[in-house]
Coordinates of all heavy atoms in Angstrom, one line a residue:
Q279 N -21.4 -32.8 -31.5 CA -21.1 -33.0 -32.9 C -20.1 -32.0 -33.3 O -20.2 -30.8 -33.0 CB -22.4 -33.0 -33.7 CG -22.2 -33.3 -35.2 CD -23.5 -33.3 -35.9 OE1 -24.1 -34.4 -36.1 NE2 -24.1 -32.2 -36.2
L280 N -19.1 -32.4 -34.2 CA -18.2 -31.6 -34.9 C -18.4 -31.8 -36.4 O -18.3 -32.9 -36.8 CB -16.8 -31.8 -34.5 CG -16.4 -31.6 -33.0 CD1 -14.9 -32.0 -32.8 CD2 -16.6 -30.2 -32.6
V281 N -18.8 -30.8 -37.1 CA -19.1 -30.8 -38.5 C -18.0 -30.0 -39.2 O -17.8 -28.9 -38.9 CB -20.5 -30.3 -38.8 CG1 -20.7 -30.4 -40.3 CG2 -21.5 -31.2 -38.1
Q282 N -17.4 -30.6 -40.2 CA -16.3 -30.0 -41.0 C -16.7 -29.7 -42.4 O -17.5 -30.4 -43.0 CB -15.0 -30.9 -41.0 CG -14.5 -31.1 -39.6 CD -13.2 -31.9 -39.6 OE1 -13.1 -32.9 -39.0 NE2 -12.2 -31.4 -40.4
A283 N -16.0 -28.6 -42.9 CA -16.1 -28.3 -44.3 C -14.9 -27.5 -44.8 O -14.1 -27.1 -43.9 CB -17.4 -27.4 -44.6
G284 N -14.8 -27.2 -46.0 CA -13.7 -26.4 -46.5 C -12.6 -27.0 -47.3 O -11.7 -26.3 -47.9
G285 N -12.5 -28.4 -47.3 CA -11.5 -29.0 -48.0 C -11.7 -28.9 -49.5 O -12.7 -28.4 -50.0
G286 N -10.7 -29.3 -50.3 CA -10.8 -29.3 -51.7 C -9.4 -29.5 -52.4 O -8.5 -29.9 -51.7
S287 N -9.4 -29.2 -53.6 CA -8.1 -29.4 -54.4 C -7.6 -28.0 -54.9 O -8.4 -27.2 -55.5 CB -8.4 -30.3 -55.6 OG -8.7 -31.6 -55.2
V288 N -6.4 -27.7 -54.7 CA -5.8 -26.5 -55.1 C -4.4 -26.7 -55.6 O -3.8 -27.8 -55.4 CB -5.7 -25.5 -53.9 CG1 -7.0 -25.1 -53.4 CG2 -4.8 -26.0 -52.8
Q289 N -3.9 -25.8 -56.4 CA -2.5 -25.8 -56.8 C -1.6 -25.3 -55.7 O -2.0 -24.6 -54.8 CB -2.3 -24.9 -58.0 CG -3.1 -25.3 -59.3 CD -2.4 -26.4 -60.0 OE1 -1.2 -26.8 -59.7 NE2 -3.1 -27.0 -61.0
A290 N -0.3 -25.7 -55.8 CA 0.7 -25.2 -54.8 C 0.7 -23.7 -54.8 O 0.6 -23.1 -55.8 CB 2.0 -25.8 -55.1
G291 N 0.7 -23.2 -53.6 CA 0.7 -21.7 -53.4 C -0.7 -21.2 -53.1 O -0.8 -20.0 -52.8
G292 N -1.7 -22.0 -53.3 CA -3.1 -21.6 -53.1 C -3.5 -21.6 -51.6 O -2.7 -22.0 -50.8
S293 N -4.7 -21.3 -51.4 CA -5.2 -21.3 -50.0 C -6.6 -22.0 -49.9 O -7.3 -22.1 -50.8 CB -5.5 -19.8 -49.6 OG -4.2 -19.1 -49.6
L294 N -6.8 -22.5 -48.7 CA -8.1 -23.0 -48.3 C -8.4 -22.6 -46.9 O -7.5 -22.4 -46.1 CB -8.1 -24.6 -48.4 CG -8.0 -25.2 -49.7 CD1 -7.8 -26.7 -49.6 CD2 -9.3 -25.0 -50.5
K295 N -9.7 -22.6 -46.5 CA -10.1 -22.2 -45.2 C -11.0 -23.4 -44.7 O -12.1 -23.5 -45.2 CB -10.8 -20.9 -45.1 CG -11.1 -20.4 -43.7 CD -11.7 -19.0 -43.8 CE -12.0 -18.5 -42.4 NZ -12.5 -17.1 -42.4
L296 N -10.6 -24.1 -43.7 CA -11.3 -25.2 -43.2 C -12.2 -24.7 -42.0 O -11.8 -23.8 -41.3 CB -10.4 -26.3 -42.7 CG -9.4 -26.8 -43.6 CD1 -8.6 -28.0 -43.0 CD2 -10.0 -27.3 -45.0
S297 N -13.3 -25.3 -41.8 CA -14.2 -24.9 -40.7 C -14.6 -26.1 -39.9 O -14.6 -27.3 -40.4 CB -15.4 -24.2 -41.2 OG -16.2 -25.0 -42.0
C298 N -14.8 -25.9 -38.6 CA -15.2 -26.9 -37.7 C -16.3 -26.3 -36.8 O -16.1 -25.5 -36.0 CB -14.1 -27.4 -36.8 SG -14.4 -28.7 -35.6
V299 N -17.6 -26.8 -37.0 CA -18.7 -26.3 -36.3 C -19.1 -27.2 -35.2 O -19.4 -28.4 -35.4 CB -19.9 -26.1 -37.2 CG1 -21.1 -25.5 -36.5 CG2 -19.5 -25.2 -38.4
A300 N -19.1 -26.7 -34.0 CA -19.4 -27.5 -32.8 C -20.8 -27.3 -32.3 O -21.3 -26.1 -32.3 CB -18.4 -27.2 -31.6
S301 N -21.5 -28.3 -31.9 CA -22.8 -28.2 -31.4 C -23.1 -29.3 -30.3 O -22.4 -30.3 -30.4 CB -23.9 -28.4 -32.5 OG -23.8 -29.6 -33.1
G302 N -23.9 -29.0 -29.4 CA -24.3 -29.9 -28.4 C -23.3 -30.0 -27.2 O -23.5 -30.8 -26.3
F303 N -22.3 -29.1 -27.1 CA -21.3 -29.1 -26.1 C -21.8 -28.2 -24.9 O -22.4 -27.2 -25.1 CB -20.0 -28.6 -26.6 CG -19.3 -29.6 -27.5 CD1 -19.5 -29.6 -28.8 CD2 -18.4 -30.5 -27.0 CE1 -18.9 -30.4 -29.7 CE2 -17.7 -31.4 -27.8 CZ -18.0 -31.4 -29.2
I304 N -21.5 -28.7 -23.7 CA -21.8 -27.8 -22.5 C -20.8 -26.6 -22.5 O -19.7 -26.7 -23.2 CB -21.7 -28.6 -21.2 CG1 -20.3 -29.2 -21.0 CG2 -22.7 -29.7 -21.2 CD1 -20.1 -29.8 -19.6
D305 N -21.2 -25.6 -21.8 CA -20.4 -24.3 -21.9 C -19.3 -24.4 -20.9 O -19.3 -23.7 -19.8 CB -21.4 -23.2 -21.6 CG -20.7 -21.8 -21.8 OD1 -19.7 -21.8 -22.5 OD2 -21.3 -20.8 -21.3
I306 N -18.2 -25.1 -21.3 CA -17.0 -25.1 -20.6 C -15.8 -24.9 -21.6 O -16.1 -24.9 -22.8 CB -16.7 -26.4 -19.7 CG1 -16.8 -27.6 -20.7 CG2 -17.8 -26.5 -18.7 CD1 -16.4 -28.9 -20.0
K307 N -14.6 -24.7 -21.1 CA -13.5 -24.5 -22.0 C -12.9 -25.8 -22.5 O -12.6 -26.7 -21.7 CB -12.4 -23.7 -21.3 CG -12.9 -22.3 -20.8 CD -13.2 -21.4 -22.0 CE -13.6 -20.0 -21.5 NZ -13.9 -19.1 -22.7
Y308 N -12.7 -25.8 -23.8 CA -12.1 -27.0 -24.5 C -10.8 -26.7 -25.1 O -10.6 -25.6 -25.7 CB -13.0 -27.6 -25.5 CG -14.4 -28.0 -25.0 CD1 -15.4 -27.2 -24.9 CD2 -14.5 -29.4 -24.6 CE1 -16.7 -27.6 -24.4 CE2 -15.7 -29.8 -24.1 CZ -16.8 -28.9 -24.0 OH -18.0 -29.4 -23.5
C309 N -9.8 -27.6 -25.1 CA -8.7 -27.6 -25.9 C -9.2 -28.1 -27.3 O -9.9 -29.1 -27.4 CB -7.6 -28.5 -25.5 SG -6.8 -27.9 -23.9
Q310 N -8.8 -27.4 -28.3 CA -9.2 -27.7 -29.7 C -7.9 -27.9 -30.6 O -6.9 -27.2 -30.3 CB -10.0 -26.6 -30.3 CG -11.3 -26.3 -29.5 CD -12.1 -25.2 -30.0 OE1 -12.9 -25.4 -31.0 NE2 -12.0 -24.0 -29.5
A311 N -8.0 -28.7 -31.5 CA -6.9 -29.1 -32.3 C -7.2 -29.4 -33.8 O -8.4 -29.8 -34.1 CB -6.1 -30.2 -31.7
W312 N -6.3 -29.3 -34.6 CA -6.4 -29.7 -36.0 C -5.3 -30.8 -36.2 O -4.1 -30.6 -35.9 CB -6.2 -28.6 -37.0 CG -7.3 -27.6 -37.1 CD1 -7.4 -26.5 -36.4 CD2 -8.5 -27.7 -37.9 NE1 -8.6 -25.8 -36.7 CE2 -9.3 -26.6 -37.6 CE3 -9.0 -28.7 -38.8 CZ2 -10.5 -26.4 -38.2 CZ3 -10.2 -28.5 -39.3 CH2 -10.9 -27.3 -39.1
F313 N -5.7 -31.9 -36.8 CA -4.8 -33.0 -37.1 C -4.9 -33.3 -38.6 O -5.9 -32.9 -39.3 CB -5.2 -34.3 -36.4 CG -5.0 -34.2 -34.9 CD1 -5.9 -33.7 -34.1 CD2 -3.8 -34.8 -34.3 CE1 -5.8 -33.7 -32.7 CE2 -3.7 -34.8 -33.0 CZ -4.6 -34.2 -32.2

């Protein structure tokens, strides 16, 4: 499972911090991406 949070509405010039919490994955190396 990948669970996301951190979106919202901001004015131009503002900041947001998105998160992606992974669970249930075996302990190997993954390529990760944001789209």
Side-chain angles (χ1 to χ4, degrees):
Q279 184 173 263
L280 299 176
V281 177
Q282 296 185 235
S287 298
V288 297
Q289 296 282 348
S293 297
L294 289 171
K295 189 175 184 179
L296 308 184
S297 63
C298 179
V299 182
S301 61
F303 290 86
I304 61 174
D305 190 17
I306 59 175
K307 298 294 183 181
Y308 296 89
C309 291
Q310 302 178 82
W312 291 94
F313 294 83

